[in-house]
Amino acid sequence: MSVKTALRVIEIIETYAREKRALPLSELARLLDVPVSSCLALIRTLTGLGYLYETGRRQGYYPTGRLLAMAQRIARADPVLDRVYPSLVELRDATRETIVFAKLAQDRRVVYLDVLDSPHTIRYAPVAGEFKDVHANSLGKALMSLMSDAARDETLAGMTLTRYNERTLITPQAVLADIELSRQRGWFMNSGESIADVGAIAWPVTLSGEHYAISVGGPIYRIEPQQETYARILRAACTALEQQA
């Protein structure tokens, strides 16, 4: 029951992030697909803790600034993100494209740990906490490059290589060949393999014995002409991070 309740709280937060408006109890319950009585108990608890407030009688509920304050406090204390954040900012400013910092989750999917948005109006706009399949993701390929041959083979053999479009690599042999080519040229690429017209280059970085990767992503028409330049900047940033005390 406690796990189910925790999941409901996360779903409430994500619902407000998606809807961006005050929600009456009945509508929130409908969006969550839960009984009104169960939703009311959660709302009362979160309101009592100061995370939600009633915007007006029968007008609905909305998150207070407490949620943001707690998230910012947590983020400021993150030992890894605190270390890499200045480098991510420098990369974003140098390329003016979206920067993603990621690692592999326990289920061997890529999890985005931090995202710095491009200043361009037309941009790649992922969200921290997203999961992506390794075979159709530049970060995933970069992270697999750090695995042993056996671990890489086991990872690819144990997953379904989903075809997102005609560019997606859907056999282990094709993915492995792409990883080897990427090592030789100096960057790992996703050229519209998961999201049409979105490209990204990535490079791995090892910090305190843990493997991560950083990518530069955006519309293919902006990324591909600059891939060698962005790759050089990205590799330099990763090397500098690894050399930090």
Side-chain angles (χ1 to χ4, degrees), residues 92-169:
R92 192 267 315 279
D93 292 346
T95 63
R96 293 180 60 80
E97 298 294 355
T98 297
I99 307 300
V100 180
F101 179 63
K103 72 175 304 185
L104 288 181
Q106 290 184 344
D107 63 0
R108 294 302 187 180
R109 289 184 298 167
V110 179
V111 56
Y112 289 0
L113 302 179
D114 202 5
V115 175
L116 276 66
D117 286 331
S118 163
H120 291 291
T121 301
I122 299 175
R123 63 181 183 270
Y124 176 42
V127 177
E130 282 190 40
F131 290 91
K132 300 291 184 179
D133 290 335
V134 292
H135 72 289
N137 184 275
S138 63
L139 292 155
K141 296 173 188 177
L143 289 162
M144 280 196 291
S145 75
L146 299 178
M147 294 179 179
S148 66
D149 290 346
R152 192 160 48 244
D153 291 344
E154 181 182 356
T155 295
L156 292 171
M159 63 180 292
T160 300
L161 302 184
T162 301
R163 182 192 292 274
Y164 293 99
N165 56 51
E166 69 279 359
R167 294 190 176 194
T168 308
L169 305 178

Side-chain angles (χ1 to χ4, degrees), residues 174-190:
V175 175
L176 292 173
D178 188 70
I179 290 173
E180 183 57 34
L181 172 63
S182 300
R183 277 203 194 103
Q184 295 175 12
R185 73 183 173 200
W187 69 88
F188 297 85
M189 186 76 185
N190 173 4

Side-chain angles (χ1 to χ4, degrees), residues 30-134:
R30 179 181 61 79
L31 291 170
L32 294 173
D33 193 24
V34 299
V36 172
S37 58
S38 299
C39 189
L40 176 59
L42 288 170
I43 290 298
R44 283 177 172 170
T45 299
L46 291 171
T47 301
L49 292 172
Y51 286 97
L52 295 179
Y53 77 102
E54 194 170 10
T55 58
R57 185 169 178 80
R58 301 183 183 281
Q59 292 180 13
Y61 297 84
Y62 198 76
T64 69
R66 182 176 177 82
L67 184 60
L68 176 61
M70 293 298 103
Q72 290 176 331
R73 188 177 300 176
I74 292 168
R76 285 195 294 268
D78 188 304
V80 177
L81 295 184
D82 181 64
R83 177 178 175 182
V84 303
Y85 186 75
S87 295
L88 301 182
V89 172
E90 290 180 3
L91 280 169
R92 192 267 315 279
D93 292 346
T95 63
R96 293 180 60 80
E97 298 294 355
T98 297
I99 307 300
V100 180
F101 179 63
K103 72 175 304 185
L104 288 181
Q106 290 184 344
D107 63 0
R108 294 302 187 180
R109 289 184 298 167
V110 179
V111 56
Y112 289 0
L113 302 179
D114 202 5
V115 175
L116 276 66
D117 286 331
S118 163
H120 291 291
T121 301
I122 299 175
R123 63 181 183 270
Y124 176 42
V127 177
E130 282 190 40
F131 290 91
K132 300 291 184 179
D133 290 335
V134 292

